[in-house]
Amino acid sequence: MSQPMYMIGVDIGTTSTKSVLFEENGTVVAKADEGYPLFTPTASIAEQDPDQIFRAVIHTLKSVIMQSGANADQIMFVSFSSAMHSVIAVDAEGKPLTRCITWGDNRSAAWSERLKHEFGGHHIYLRTGTPIHPMSPLPKLMWLRHDMESLFNRTSKFISIKEYVFARLFGEYVIDYSIASATGMFNLTKLDWDEEALALAGITRDRLSQPVPTTHAMQGMNLVFAEELGLDGSTPFIVGASDGVLSNLGVNAIEPGVVAATIGTSGAIRTVVDKPVTDPKGRTFCYALTDKLWVIGGAVNNGGMLLRWARDEFAAAEVETAKRLGIDAYDLLMQIVSQVRPGADGLLFHPYLTGERAPLWNSNARGSFFGLTMHHRKEHLIRSVLEGVIFNLYTVLLAMEENIGRPTKIQATGGFARSPLWRQMMADIFDQEVVVPESFESSCLGAVVLGLYATDRVDSLNVVSKMVGATHVHHPIKANAEVYHQLLPIYIRLARQLETEYEAIAKFQQQYAQS
């Protein structure tokens, strides 16, 4: 009897790294997760320690291999997913000169605005697919170049966290097309660095990594790490792609018209197309999945973390009650919120507590409740928070629909999918059927499906359809959908009309914080 063969997907996320070991048919055998802190000494800074993240990759890989009892020759490959938009400055020896500057770091906001209004940022977006926003590495490099000149000049290369991991493991600097397409400096049609963007960043291509397809395999791992992991140095490591595009693959949202909607800490909505597509109004991104498939959509800053905020700020009594009853506080909150009618009796919430990416791409945006009356209680506020998160995602979908038409299917994933009430809100606000795939390990599953394709074990990414089942299906409730249709135009008009006020209040808050 032949021994079983396994594949490992690694997802380097913003809050933790996860490794999942699968059988070849997609069955999960073992998984491990290791978190790390986000350093936020000010409201504008969001950094992480790249060496902590590297050790998390090693520890979780080692853990799943040990859990499974697999031998080195049973591991077909290891394939990677990673968060986007990170920047690490390294010296000639590959040692970090900075922490990992994450997508949430806002110190390049002023340069992002200048890029948008003075340096032809929209034309660069149309070529590169990355909206002009402080999350993007391009304005980050412009900020480092002008505001941290000494550090900038000492830097040998500017790399992402995945590039750092692969450089440590293999001694080479490579960047996959997917992560590259999220830098704001990668020309989507040429599949190469964009010369005009590099000039604005003040760098030449030798200060960046070599772009490679997402299916690119690395072999010859540093023997010290191979020995620690219990792997053969020749085990293929597939460079892989970004977490967002692999999440689409991992939930089988790769056919035309199928949209993946994700709400975890933040959120995103995405669909796959067969050629690069950018938005004339600059509202959506376009990132590579392979050299023939592209993912368009939008990511939002504010997702499930706002339910945690609402719990902490409005529901201390309910949290204590849940403890006494021995139930989950969120379950109790959902029971209370379910007693409030859809639309929260005319209370709207704009969820921009940490600025916003899609569809506004405005780091100055701020959250607000609108329509508040003496009639409203805290359960209304909490329901409006839940609805506001979905409303915001839906506005991103509306922008996408202008370019791709109405979706044929919505696949919903993320922590929010554990709540039947929140899932039903999505079906009602979107006014479409919402399907929740069985797998919660979507980015890791997407990574290994890409790995199967990269190693010629399958001839199509559609093999994922055999690995993903459906756990829940929600149909829109007509009466609820009609309520939301009345509120949506008000929700959209408010965000547009408050744009000047967002800038004014953000400026006041920044000045007040410094006083």
Side-chain angles (χ1 to χ4, degrees):
M1 181 177 177
S2 60
Q3 60 181 357
M5 300 298 289
Y6 302 113
M7 50 193 183
I8 301 176
V10 181
D11 180 30
I12 306 171
T14 304
T15 57
S16 68
T17 286
K18 179 183 294 182
S19 290
V20 183
L21 185 143
F22 299 86
E23 293 180 355
E24 196 166 357
N25 63 4
T27 300
V28 174
V29 177
K31 54 186 175 181
D33 191 297
E34 184 170 320
Y36 26 77
L38 181 68
F39 299 104
T40 55
T42 74
S44 297
I45 298 174
E47 297 180 328
Q48 293 173 318
D49 183 339
D51 288 318
Q52 278 187 310
I53 297 175
F54 178 76
R55 293 313 305 177
V57 171
I58 297 297
H59 293 163
T60 56
L61 272 172
K62 187 175 181 179
S63 177
V64 295
I65 293 169
M66 291 181 67
Q67 288 178 52
S68 68
N71 299 318
D73 57 0
Q74 290 179 273
I75 306 298
M76 297 185 291
F77 58 80
V78 181
S79 187
F80 279 73
S81 162
S82 176
M84 296 174 279
H85 311 303
S86 59
V87 171
I88 307 167
V90 298
D91 65 17
E93 296 179 350
K95 295 179 180 178
L97 299 174
T98 64
R99 286 175 171 162
C100 177
I101 304 170
T102 71
W103 64 266
D105 194 284
N106 204 38
R107 286 172 288 178
S108 63
W111 283 101
S112 178
E113 287 302 303
R114 292 192 66 182
L115 176 60
K116 189 181 298 184
H117 299 295
E118 297 178 32
F119 300 116
H122 185 65
H123 294 290
I124 292 174
Y125 156 76
L126 292 174
R127 295 196 306 274
T128 66
T130 304
I132 306 302
H133 186 270
M135 69 173 187
S136 168
L138 174 55
K140 285 184 172 75
L141 292 189
M142 293 175 71
W143 162 67
L144 288 170
R145 176 189 181 187
H146 294 280
D147 294 12
M148 302 183 71
E149 186 177 2
S150 176
L151 169 69
F152 184 86
N153 291 335
R154 286 187 291 121
T155 300
S156 176
K157 285 188 181 292
F158 297 97
I159 60 175
S160 72
I161 186 60
K162 193 204 285 190
E163 293 161 74
Y164 182 73
V165 169
F166 270 80
R168 290 282 304 272
L169 292 175
F170 294 94
E172 293 182 41
Y173 288 104
V174 296
I175 181 170
D176 63 79
Y177 290 165
S178 185
I179 295 294
S181 65
T183 63
M185 299 181 288
F186 190 71
N187 190 296
L188 299 180
T189 55
K190 296 179 179 178
L191 293 177
D192 198 3
W193 296 118
D194 186 88
E195 295 296 340
E196 183 181 343
L198 296 191
L200 283 170
I203 59 173
T204 49
R205 62 180 56 238
D206 61 297
R207 298 180 78 183
L208 297 173
S209 298
Q210 174 64 38
V212 296
T214 57
T215 52
H216 183 75
M218 302 282 284
Q219 291 179 289
M221 180 173 36
N222 184 307
L223 292 179
V224 172
F225 297 121
E227 184 176 344
E228 182 176 354
L229 293 171
L231 290 176
D232 191 304
S234 63
T235 301
F237 272 53
I238 311 303
V239 177
S242 61
D243 52 2
V245 304
L246 287 176
S247 180
N248 263 63
L249 177 55
V251 298
N252 192 29
I254 56 174
E255 292 296 323
V258 181
V259 167
T262 303
I263 302 176
T265 303
S266 54
I269 190 158
R270 305 171 298 264
T271 193
V272 174
V273 292
D274 60 5
K275 61 181 179 180
V277 176
T278 51
D279 176 37
K281 299 178 183 178
R283 294 165 297 179
T284 56
F285 58 61
C286 180
Y287 301 143
L289 172 54
T290 67
D291 54 357
K292 295 182 177 62
L293 293 175
W294 306 83
V295 173
I296 63 170
V300 300
N301 285 355
N302 305 279
M305 67 179 181
L306 296 189
L307 177 58
R308 183 174 67 244
W309 170 79
R311 178 202 66 185
D312 294 345
E313 300 302 326
F314 303 145
E318 286 75 14
V319 170
E320 288 303 315
T321 299
K323 287 180 181 177
R324 290 198 303 271
L325 296 175
I327 62 175
D328 187 276
Y330 290 117
D331 291 340
L332 180 58
L333 283 183
M334 291 299 179
Q335 291 176 30
I336 295 169
V337 166
S338 68
Q339 299 170 21
V340 178
R341 293 183 297 180
D345 292 344
L347 181 61
L348 293 174
F349 175 70
H350 284 82
Y352 311 139
L353 270 64
T354 59
E356 192 50 283
R357 287 181 286 173
L360 305 181
W361 300 105
N362 186 348
S363 59
N364 289 326
R366 294 294 184 265
S368 60
F369 288 100
F370 179 79
L372 195 60
T373 70
M374 293 289 287
H375 165 71
H376 291 110
R377 303 181 303 276
K378 63 182 172 185
E379 50 264 43
H380 290 85
L381 269 70
I382 296 171
R383 179 166 189 126
S384 71
V385 168
L386 298 176
E387 291 175 341
V389 170
I390 305 293
F391 270 136
N392 196 40
L393 267 188
Y394 186 53
T395 62
V396 181
L397 180 62
L398 291 176
M400 292 167 58
E401 286 183 4
E402 292 180 20
N403 294 308
I404 64 164
R406 185 169 171 81
T408 58
K409 187 177 184 181
I410 306 289
Q411 299 273 72
T413 65
F416 100 109
R418 294 181 173 88
S419 166
L421 176 66
W422 218 353
R423 297 193 305 260
Q424 186 61 49
M425 281 183 191
M426 178 174 283
D428 295 340
I429 291 173
F430 283 25
D431 198 12
Q432 281 194 256
E433 178 184 279
V434 170
V435 178
V436 180
E438 193 172 319
S439 172
F440 284 101
E441 316 294 354
S442 57
S443 292
C444 287
L445 180 59
V448 296
V449 170
L450 186 64
L452 287 170
Y453 182 69
T455 54
D456 295 323
R457 286 177 167 83
V458 298
D459 57 10
S460 169
L461 297 177
N462 290 324
V463 68
V464 70
S465 63
K466 301 175 183 177
M467 302 178 183
V468 179
T471 304
H472 305 284
V473 179
H474 291 265
H475 299 277
I477 298 170
K478 184 177 180 181
N480 297 352
E482 289 175 351
V483 169
Y484 291 130
H485 279 310
Q486 293 180 60
L487 291 173
L488 182 66
I490 304 172
Y491 178 94
I492 293 173
R493 286 198 301 269
L494 275 171
R496 290 173 179 167
Q497 292 172 5
L498 287 173
E499 186 171 351
T500 301
E501 311 312 324
Y502 288 149
E503 183 178 356
I505 198 65
K507 184 177 181 180
F508 171 83
Q509 290 172 344
Q510 290 158 6
Q511 291 174 342
Y512 191 78
Q514 295 168 1
S515 63

